[in-house]
Amino acid sequence: MSPRHALRPGAWGAALLLTVLIAGCSNGDNHASENSTIPSPSATPSSAPSAPVSPEASPEPSPVISYLGKTKIVTLGDTEIRATRNELGINVACNATNTADRTRNIRVTVSIGNGDDWVTTNNFNFKQIPAGQTASESTVMGGSFEGDLPDDPEIHIDNVVYY
C-alpha cells in the first residue's frame, strides 16, 4: 500500500467523526423528544449560551402612553415625558429617576413630531443624581416651527443613558 492510500482511512474516520458530531449537535433536540427518558447532552449546552444573546431573552421595554387633560404622558421604565401644546410651542417636561444604589448621571434624548414632516429633538442631561432621587427639567420644543403644531404630538424617548 502506498503512503498516499495509508492516510485515507484516517481521513475518512475523522470526516465520519466530524459528521456524527455535527449531526448530533443539530439534531439533539429531535433525539431528546424521541427518547424522553434520556436527556441529550448536546441540547443543554447549545441552548444555554444562546439565551443571553437572543433579543427575545431581554425584550426592549415598551413605552406607556397616557393622558392627563391635554397633556400627553409617555413613560419608559423610570423616565417620564410630559408634553403639552401651548401658544409658544410644546412644553416638554422630563422626569428621570435614579433607581441605582449610587449617584449617577442620566441623559435622555426625546423627539417630538407631527408624524408627517416635522420632528425636533432635545437632550436632557441630569448630572450627579443621588440614588433614589428624581431629576426634572422642562423646555419648549417646536417654537420655531412654521405651521400648525399638532394638538397630540408624537413623542419618542429615543434613548436613556446612565453613566
Side-chain angles (χ1 to χ4, degrees), residues 35 59 63 82 88 144 148:
N35 302 325
R82 293 177 177 241
L88 300 175
S144 63
D148 292 328

Side-chain angles (χ1 to χ4, degrees), residues 117-141:
D117 60 352
W118 171 76
V119 174
T120 185
T121 302
N122 190 56
N123 287 313
F124 295 93
N125 289 304
F126 304 110
K127 302 288 184 185
Q128 299 297 310
I129 308 305
Q133 298 297 308
T134 300
S136 299
E137 185 180 325
S138 296
T139 190
V140 175
M141 296 174 68

Side-chain angles (χ1 to χ4, degrees), residues 3 19 34 39 42 54 72 89 97-98 101-103 109 111-112 114 119 121 128-129 137 161:
T19 303
E34 292 172 6
S42 64
S54 172
K72 185 173 190 175
T97 302
N98 179 5
D101 58 354
R102 61 181 176 81
T103 298
T109 304
S111 295
I112 305 280
N114 63 2
V119 174
T121 302
Q128 299 297 310
I129 308 305
E137 185 180 325
V161 178

